Amino acid sequence: ILNVEQSPQSLHVQEGDSTNFTCSFPSSNFYALHWYRWETAKSPEALFVMTLNGDEKKKGRISATLNTKEGYSYLYIKGSQPEDSATYLCASFSGAGSYQLTFGKGTKLSVIP
Amino acid sequence: GAVVSQHPSRVICKSGTSVKIECRSLDFQATTMFWYRQFPKKSLMLMATSNEGSKATYEQGVEKDKFLINHASLTLSTLTVTSAHPEDSSFYICSASMGTSSYEQYFGPGTRLTVT
């Protein structure tokens, strides 16, 4: 994998459903994986920064896992609410001393009331 | 904390004119600021990295004479799109990082530039 890939590109879920989406990233020279939540007309909001293989982080109903050996991360949302509607971006940070984040295209989530 | 503002949020200009976009860290000192561009249905792409008081480092393919970046203080960076053309129409977004060892970036809300 050369780029950061996210899937699906978009999805619609009913309120109350749980959902998850995937971020794939280059596993070589991996340093950190960032997840952002981006609502329309607002700033992307940092959700998680993950560095260790097997790491799992949780923030309310949202959680994320990380597999650095195979180069993927999952973001889970439990019991989706309309306010979860946003684009979820992941970004790979490679190499100590470099600040460059490489972004995926994002997964646009729409939660239907 | 860690709020970044960006101004203007939306700008329409005529071809050949220059446009300045400001990025400010409101409650922290930003040692490093970043400028990204996003075309429709594409990823955020890093244009340049700037450290306070020094010249910006541009990514390959980004013209430094066209996209002038100034990072004159620890709370303000500006991006000037000079002699804008319709192909420069895009979404421009900045981020800021505090400290030389931090890789966490805090984003502004972005600027939609339309060149007619």
Side-chain angles (χ1 to χ4, degrees), chain B residues 17-92:
Chain B
T17 61
S18 295
V19 174
K20 181 186 282 188
I21 303 170
E22 290 188 349
C23 177
R24 291 181 187 273
S25 57
L26 299 184
D27 52 1
F28 67 99
Q29 292 187 325
T31 307
T32 307
M33 286 186 166
F34 308 85
W35 288 95
Y36 294 84
R37 180 169 54 182
Q38 185 182 36
F39 291 107
K41 300 190 185 299
K42 300 292 185 182
S43 310
L44 289 173
M45 294 296 293
L46 181 66
M47 298 175 67
T49 303
S50 73
N51 294 295
E52 184 264 337
S54 60
K55 289 183 179 180
T57 302
Y58 290 81
E59 295 300 307
Q60 192 172 8
V62 179
E63 299 175 57
K64 62 180 182 181
D65 294 330
K66 182 167 185 63
F67 299 100
L68 301 179
I69 291 172
N70 185 288
H71 191 165
S73 77
L74 283 171
T75 59
L76 174 64
S77 177
T78 60
L79 168 68
T80 302
V81 183
T82 62
S83 186
H85 288 94
E87 57 266 29
D88 298 324
S89 298
S90 188
F91 184 79
Y92 294 85

